[in-house]
Amino acid sequence: MSLAGLVLVVEDEDPVRRYTVSLLEELGFTVLQAIDGIEAIATLRRRSTEIDAMLLDHSMPGLSGEEVLAELEREGLTVPVVLTSGYDRPSLERRFAGHEIAAYLQKPFRLETLDETIRAVLAKRAQAS
């Protein structure tokens, strides 16, 4: 089953961003890209109501994933966030306690893992609406 929707990929490493975008497009998504937290916030200010999910890198120069989340919360922008990182999930859960994280995705990930994660996030979002 092909998925549809708009996903924002926030990743500072070009090869990782391109890989993630290609996987999401293979799954049937339309993808927006941001190379850092500043660009992500600007995109979300313009298009938050259109974006179905955001894959947010945990560690980036400039604004980190944590700082992006804090800014979104301050501005009342809501979008399901899938936090991506090379760190293990328990470490991330402790660090991001109190932030609204829809799912965690450990790098490196494969198409199947990305597919399962995105499907779960979108299903949860659909149930909440």
Side-chain angles (χ1 to χ4, degrees):
M1 175 173 116
S2 177
L3 293 175
L6 183 61
V7 177
L8 173 60
V9 174
V10 186
E11 171 63 59
D12 64 304
E13 294 182 43
D14 187 58
V16 176
R17 189 177 57 257
R18 283 188 281 123
Y19 173 72
T20 304
V21 168
S22 70
L23 292 179
L24 287 165
E25 289 174 343
E26 188 175 330
L27 291 169
F29 286 96
T30 302
V31 183
L32 297 172
Q33 302 177 49
I35 62 169
D36 59 26
I38 294 166
E39 189 175 352
I41 290 169
T43 300
L44 284 160
R45 283 177 180 146
R46 289 190 317 271
R47 302 188 68 180
S48 67
T49 59
E50 302 168 59
I51 296 171
D52 297 299
M54 174 172 60
L55 269 70
L56 177 63
D57 185 22
H58 154 261
S59 178
M60 296 179 289
L63 292 180
S64 68
E66 194 168 7
E67 291 168 317
V68 170
L69 288 172
E71 183 62 26
L72 296 180
E73 290 165 5
R74 267 193 299 281
E75 295 189 24
L77 300 173
T78 58
V79 62
V81 174
V82 177
L83 190 67
T84 64
S85 177
Y87 291 99
D88 64 273
R89 183 179 175 150
S91 297
L92 292 172
E93 286 177 340
R94 283 190 300 275
R95 181 168 182 180
F96 286 84
H99 289 288
E100 189 78 25
I101 305 293
Y104 296 89
L105 190 59
Q106 188 167 3
K107 296 178 191 177
F109 50 83
R110 300 179 49 188
L111 177 67
E112 296 79 15
T113 309
L114 177 62
D115 186 26
E116 291 170 9
T117 303
I118 292 292
R119 285 180 192 275
V121 167
L122 294 180
K124 186 176 177 181
R125 183 179 194 199
Q127 287 176 342
S129 337

